[in-house]
Amino acid sequence: MRESPSTQGEPSTSATVDDSYSAGRVEDSQLFLSLPALNQAASYLAQTASFLTQCLPVPGYVGLSEEDQELVTLPPASAAGRHSVQTSSPESAGTNSSLSQADNGASPSQENTGQMVPSHVFQNGASLFQGLVERARKTVRGSADDIGWLQQGQSLPTTEDGTARFLEILDSVRKNEHKLPDSVVYLLVPGLFSNHGPLYFVKTKAYFSKMGLACHIAKIHSESSVSKNAREIKEYIEEIYWGSRKRVLLLGHSKGGVDSAAALSLYWPQLKDKVAGLVLAQSPYGGSPVASDILREGQLGDYVRLRKIMEILVSKVLKGDLQALEDLTYERRKEFLQQHPLPPEVPIVSFHTEASITPSVLTALSHVAHLELPIAAGGNSTRIPVVMPLSAAMAACSQLLVARYGEKSDGLVTRKDAEVPGSVVVRPERKLDHAWMVYSSLKEEPGDQADTSQVCEALLTLLVEVAQKRRHGMSMKDE
């Protein structure tokens, strides 16, 4: 009994594809096994890609010369039951043709009715399928390879743990021992959507003013790009310095910390004599997985059109710029920090937390604004608090990031991405979500816990100590 020509001749195209990409498929198959739905989807895509590459022309295909062109012989319609595909070169075309005729019992004229398709078509089909697999793999991986990338850089300066000292200062603050100097001006820089939250940082500013300290809130358009806000913050600092002749201590929350750091990176020659230091509180300095998963191509947001929804929300409703969110993706942060690193002489304190999922937190409502009712008969207007379940939303996002990436976060920013290289880092064990820093809860804080204003005071006090220690070290080095 003779063997089939398909087994005697050159190997089939399908076998070639398997050999070429076997290494990549092992890794991807292991990735898909944990998700049955994606495993089925990959199988369906494989069948679809195989069908399309056999039936559809390949755009941009340029035929090869007769000497180099390999041809793939497809059986005629009468041989539909056979799945073998013969690959032949011009030198062996006659041999393979005679074998095929003998095996099928067909005449040369009948054999010539088969279609001659360049094998490049199948190579493009394999590339198409590989692209589909890579896209599926990219979707499954998400931001797993990007989270904490700053801590993996060998050339970046190391951080210093200042948690213990921060807790000591916070305890003193709660005992009414205040050490913040009045020789500087304090500038609070809010984050995203602060223009639509009238109470953003208001309580903290009032707290500082009661202590006799000059404190301002930067009125920037938070939904603008990082570079645009950096320019506005630079102008704020210069205006404050020219008016008071005092240096400025900055505290930026969320994107406000990123905007403030960008101002120092871009305009340090003009600001080095006007800025005393910077606190970044819950800031996505390295990037945010939430922003990346929504906006990056091939991520989950692509499949439910989240990017389009956010574009409408930010650009049309909030009159902002979608680049404000794009600047927080890992790609944009890596690009910016490579081109504009923070000056090493700037005193920096990084603060990050983890969201809580306790029942009391999930049922809490955050006070974000006031609603003014018409003046009543008594001549006094009525103010009703506007509340939102921000804690529950942050807890849900936090659990999603834990489930997908195994990373702890405050709901929007992972703890790893909030640490600035070379900074003094505060890592409290107390569970605080991303919105807690700026919006107070309708429930009073427990008697044994500090409120947001006290935490801000403790962070800035620690920053003053870090700046003093750095100046002392530089003076000793000069001597």
Side-chain angles (χ1 to χ4, degrees):
M1 180 180 295
R2 295 182 306 171
E3 294 184 0
S4 171
S6 62
T7 60
Q8 291 183 1
E10 294 183 12
S12 66
T13 303
S14 59
T16 303
V17 174
D18 289 340
D19 292 338
S20 302
Y21 303 104
S22 58
R25 288 186 178 181
V26 170
E27 180 182 356
D28 292 327
S29 62
Q30 294 175 350
L31 183 66
F32 291 145
L33 287 177
S34 60
L35 297 174
L38 285 178
N39 192 16
Q40 297 175 7
S43 177
Y44 173 77
L45 289 175
Q47 298 174 12
T48 304
S50 177
F51 176 78
L52 290 177
T53 54
Q54 295 181 43
C55 299
L56 298 180
V58 179
Y61 168 71
V62 179
L64 302 176
S65 64
E66 293 183 357
E67 296 179 357
D68 300 328
Q69 186 179 41
E70 287 188 345
L71 299 179
V72 178
T73 305
L74 295 181
S78 60
R82 297 178 55 192
H83 298 286
S84 61
V85 178
Q86 298 177 354
T87 304
S88 62
S89 61
E91 291 79 0
S92 60
T95 303
N96 287 340
S97 177
S98 61
L99 289 174
S100 177
Q101 293 174 20
D103 191 46
N104 295 333
S107 64
S109 60
Q110 291 175 329
E111 181 64 25
N112 290 336
T113 58
Q115 298 178 357
M116 304 297 289
V117 182
S119 64
H120 188 65
V121 171
F122 288 86
Q123 295 174 1
N124 277 274
S127 301
L128 173 63
F129 174 66
Q130 185 187 27
L132 293 173
V133 172
E134 286 299 320
R135 181 179 176 88
R137 184 178 183 275
K138 183 178 180 181
T139 302
V140 174
R141 292 292 297 170
S143 301
D145 299 327
D146 298 314
I147 295 175
W149 68 273
L150 280 171
Q151 300 178 358
Q152 301 170 5
Q154 301 296 328
S155 60
L156 297 176
T158 58
T159 59
E160 178 185 347
D161 190 354
T163 306
R165 180 54 188 157
F166 165 78
L167 294 176
E168 292 176 0
I169 296 173
L170 185 60
D171 185 62
S172 300
V173 168
R174 299 188 68 249
K175 295 177 181 178
N176 291 324
E177 299 177 8
H178 308 291
K179 299 180 180 180
L180 279 180
D182 59 1
S183 58
V184 296
V185 178
Y186 301 90
L187 181 61
L188 308 177
V189 185
L192 278 172
F193 311 125
S194 59
N195 297 319
H196 308 278
L199 298 184
Y200 206 122
F201 271 146
V202 170
K203 181 180 178 182
T204 302
K205 178 185 177 182
Y207 174 85
F208 276 62
S209 298
K210 288 181 180 179
M211 292 189 295
L213 302 175
C215 183
H216 303 275
I217 300 176
K219 300 298 183 182
I220 59 176
H221 196 304
S222 59
E223 290 80 52
S224 294
S225 66
V226 169
S227 58
K228 183 176 184 300
N229 284 344
R231 177 74 182 184
E232 293 186 6
I233 292 171
K234 178 247 186 187
E235 294 173 354
Y236 255 104
I237 294 172
E238 291 177 334
E239 183 178 350
I240 291 173
Y241 181 79
W242 291 332
S244 62
R245 289 298 168 182
K246 295 181 179 181
R247 302 177 76 192
V248 178
L249 275 179
L250 296 101
L251 189 152
H253 176 255
S254 188
K255 182 175 178 287
V258 175
D259 294 337
S260 301
L264 302 185
S265 299
L266 295 172
Y267 305 107
W268 184 241
Q270 299 96 311
L271 299 178
K272 62 181 180 179
D273 297 326
K274 304 177 180 67
V275 174
L278 168 64
V279 173
L280 293 96
Q282 300 175 318
S283 295
Y285 186 76
S288 169
V290 177
S292 296
D293 290 352
I294 290 176
L295 299 180
R296 287 197 302 188
E297 181 181 356
Q299 298 303 319
L300 291 178
D302 261 359
Y303 300 96
V304 291
R305 300 180 65 84
L306 276 181
R307 180 185 176 89
K308 188 63 177 179
I309 294 174
M310 292 303 299
E311 183 177 358
I312 294 174
L313 175 63
V314 174
S315 303
K316 305 299 182 181
V317 179
L318 302 179
K319 306 301 181 183
D321 187 351
L322 189 63
Q323 190 174 342
L325 286 177
E326 291 178 341
D327 285 346
L328 301 182
T329 61
Y330 288 109
E331 284 84 357
R332 292 295 182 88
R333 291 305 299 157
K334 290 177 182 179
E335 179 183 354
F336 183 89
L337 294 178
Q338 288 173 357
Q339 297 178 2
H340 310 288
L342 266 173
E345 61 268 30
V346 181
I348 302 289
V349 170
S350 306
F351 175 78
H352 58 79
T353 61
E354 178 184 351
S356 173
I357 57 172
T358 60
S360 60
V361 170
L362 296 178
T363 58
L365 295 175
S366 299
H367 185 191
V368 299
H370 289 297
L371 179 62
E372 295 281 351
L373 294 182
I375 298 177
N380 297 322
S381 60
T382 304
R383 304 179 75 186
I384 298 178
V386 177
V387 298
M388 296 179 65
L390 294 180
S391 297
M394 295 297 104
C397 290
S398 175
Q399 287 304 296
L400 177 62
L401 294 177
V402 170
R404 188 175 189 195
Y405 301 119
E407 295 290 343
K408 297 179 179 179
S409 71
D410 57 20
L412 295 180
V413 182
T414 66
R415 305 196 78 154
K416 292 180 179 179
D417 294 323
E419 294 192 1
V420 180
S423 68
V424 176
V425 183
V426 177
R427 311 179 181 100
E429 296 182 359
R430 182 183 174 188
K431 301 294 184 66
L432 301 171
D433 61 57
H434 195 79
W436 180 88
M437 281 292 296
V438 291
Y439 293 123
S440 60
S441 173
L442 290 182
K443 297 180 180 179
E444 293 294 331
E445 292 288 341
D448 60 340
Q449 299 288 354
D451 61 17
T452 57
S453 301
Q454 293 171 335
V455 169
C456 290
E457 180 184 356
L459 288 173
L460 287 167
T461 303
L462 176 62
L463 179 62
V464 171
E465 292 185 0
V466 172
Q468 292 174 346
K469 185 182 299 184
R470 181 164 298 187
R471 286 198 300 270
H472 178 71
M474 292 178 65
S475 62
M476 294 292 293
K477 185 178 179 180
D478 292 339
E479 292 179 0

